[in-house]
Amino acid sequence: MRDGAMPNDGKSDREALEKIIEKICGRNKTTGKLNAKPKAKAIIYFPEGEYILHSKDDNTTNAETGKVTSNTLNLVMGHVIIKGAGRDKTFLLMEDPMLPTNPATLYSSPKMISIRHNGGGDNAILATVTGSAKKGDMSIEVDDASKIKVGDWVKLILLNNDKKVIEEELKPYKVQNSMTTLINKGVHVVDRHQIKAIDGKRVTFEEPIMHAVNPAYGWDIKTYAHYEEVGVEDLTFKGKAKDNFHHHAGWEDDGAYKPLDFMRQVNSWVRLVDFVSISECMTFSECANCLFLDSEISGNRGHSSVRMQYSARGFIGKVWDHSNGYLNNDKEFKEYKENLGQYHACGISKQSIGNVI
């Protein structure tokens, strides 16, 4: 990495990374905004050393309101790899917290780096499902496959709050009054797939269908905005999570140091990446077929480890989570514990399906 980046000098290297991102993407001459780059075909390489990618000097101040803001480094691209010389050699630092957009919203601090598709063109209906399928089937009948082509990535979606649908989904359990989202919005299934073949009105996927499909319940195939083949590897993220973390005590506890997320990426990976004193290590959001493999989480305990959120067929494996801190019921911080781990371990959240930890 060049463009002014100097490891180990105690100065922020964010501007240098911004210049590299601009070289890869270019700018729209009319709007001045960075272009999206679906096929960047780029490797951003950090040689051995420490690189500061966020400090208080990188915050911006609104001239009218005086509000100070921390800003995400957005890589709106696919086919790009951020690579270090080794997780014991290359360190990407967060010297100061990412400021929340609203301190009362404990999770509102932005991520430091987000590799993402911004979602334009997402969620348009391509076809209505007309045939049933069992979990594990590879194909489905639709009313009209003319808007779908081989190689497309799509979403197979159900959203239905009919009582019969909810009861069937919960069997053998009963609906509880506390399940307000389920009662009001309904059963919400989002299964992401790539199209392998089309024969008339029958659409075949590359991967098995992960949920039984009853066409009477209102299943659709919708567009899925995404990029592909993004990777982060062979480096360590270091933050400065609080010595006395307490769950939901404040924004600094829950989200001040969030180094990385993937948004709407497929066939992508994070491997051989460690995290030291981090609030929230890594989130895959609206992703498919992504992998997180071989990671050590240490230093001060933070809010969460690694999660697949709104994602399909992700894999999280070989994670050694042994950060240090205090149990949440130790409100006076009397008994420091080593190897405690993040408050939330590796997990799955929101409308996710087919993931493995």
Side-chain angles (χ1 to χ4, degrees):
M1 182 174 165
R2 296 179 181 176
D3 278 300
M6 292 293 293
N8 310 317
D9 64 355
K11 297 179 181 178
S12 176
D13 300 289
R14 178 187 173 104
E15 184 178 353
L17 180 54
E18 289 175 332
K19 289 179 180 177
I20 289 171
I21 295 170
E22 183 173 357
K23 282 185 176 180
I24 294 170
C25 293
R27 288 191 181 275
N28 184 297
K29 293 181 179 180
T30 302
T31 65
K33 294 182 179 179
L34 289 171
N35 298 318
K37 197 76 170 180
K39 294 186 178 180
K41 297 182 179 180
I43 297 174
I44 302 173
Y45 179 67
F46 289 84
E48 184 172 347
E50 292 189 344
Y51 299 85
I52 299 172
L53 296 187
H54 176 72
S55 72
K56 61 180 183 297
D57 294 331
D58 296 314
N59 294 329
T60 56
T61 303
N62 186 300
E64 295 181 1
T65 65
K67 183 178 180 178
V68 181
T69 302
S70 297
N71 303 292
T72 299
L73 284 158
N74 285 307
L75 282 70
V76 186
M77 60 182 78
H79 294 269
V80 62
I81 297 172
I82 296 177
K83 185 175 180 62
R87 50 186 168 179
D88 60 339
K89 295 178 180 178
T90 297
F91 301 89
L92 306 186
L93 275 53
M94 305 177 76
E95 282 289 286
D96 295 292
M98 299 287 286
L99 301 177
T101 55
N102 179 1
T105 305
L106 305 184
Y107 53 82
S108 66
S109 289
K111 276 77 172 180
M112 181 173 72
I113 298 172
S114 182
I115 310 180
R116 62 192 296 114
H117 188 298
N118 282 332
D122 200 30
N123 231 32
I125 295 177
L126 297 171
T128 296
V129 174
T130 57
S132 61
K134 301 186 298 295
K135 181 179 178 180
D137 284 354
M138 301 294 290
S139 63
I140 195 83
E141 291 275 352
V142 299
D143 63 339
D144 179 4
S146 63
K147 296 180 181 178
I148 306 168
K149 64 181 184 295
V150 172
D152 283 353
W153 276 87
V154 298
K155 293 184 289 191
L156 179 62
I157 288 184
L158 167 71
L159 180 59
N160 191 326
N161 69 347
D162 184 273
K163 289 183 179 180
K164 181 181 178 182
V165 177
I166 295 172
E167 287 173 0
E168 184 174 311
E169 186 73 15
L170 289 180
K171 282 181 180 178
Y173 305 102
K174 300 296 183 182
V175 179
Q176 305 293 316
N177 290 333
S178 60
M179 299 177 179
T180 54
T181 299
L182 183 61
I183 293 168
N184 294 330
K185 294 186 177 181
V187 176
H188 192 185
V189 180
V190 184
D191 193 4
R192 291 169 168 82
H193 286 280
Q194 189 173 27
I195 306 298
K196 182 177 182 178
I198 300 171
D199 183 7
K201 294 182 179 181
R202 177 158 289 274
V203 176
T204 300
F205 301 123
E206 292 281 359
E207 305 281 357
I209 294 169
M210 301 304 298
H211 190 289
V213 175
N214 183 340
Y217 292 169
W219 288 79
D220 291 311
I221 291 180
K222 295 187 176 183
T223 52
Y224 171 33
H226 70 284
Y227 293 140
E228 301 186 38
E229 297 197 18
V230 162
V232 178
E233 55 188 45
D234 295 312
L235 53 84
T236 292
F237 289 102
K238 292 179 69 174
K240 292 186 176 180
K242 291 172 62 176
D243 292 334
N244 56 347
F245 164 84
H246 192 272
H247 189 238
H248 290 343
W251 67 267
E252 287 187 83
D253 298 78
D254 279 17
Y257 296 93
K258 297 186 288 191
L260 179 67
D261 79 344
F262 285 2
M263 174 70 77
R264 303 185 187 92
Q265 300 289 351
V266 306
N267 297 335
S268 297
W269 67 93
V270 176
R271 67 184 190 96
L272 300 171
V273 172
D274 290 348
F275 300 85
V276 180
S277 296
I278 293 297
S279 302
E280 181 180 294
C281 297
M282 172 66 193
T283 297
F284 296 84
S285 190
E286 300 185 47
C287 293
N289 294 14
C290 287
L291 173 147
F292 183 95
L293 181 66
D294 200 339
S295 176
E296 180 179 356
I297 302 168
S298 61
N300 290 340
R301 188 186 200 202
H303 187 212
S304 62
S305 179
V306 181
R307 64 175 168 165
M308 296 285 171
Q309 172 179 275
Y310 299 109
S311 294
R313 292 183 306 280
F315 177 80
I316 300 171
K318 201 178 178 184
V319 178
W320 183 23
D321 180 0
H322 65 106
S323 52
N324 309 313
Y326 299 88
L327 291 172
N328 215 51
N329 59 7
D330 184 3
K331 300 185 185 303
E332 296 181 3
F333 307 107
K334 290 183 177 181
E335 189 175 352
Y336 183 78
K337 292 185 177 293
E338 296 183 350
N339 303 321
L340 189 57
Q342 303 289 84
Y343 183 84
H344 295 291
C346 295
I348 312 296
S349 68
K350 308 302 187 288
Q351 286 73 40
S352 293
I353 195 165
N355 297 281
V356 175
I357 300 177

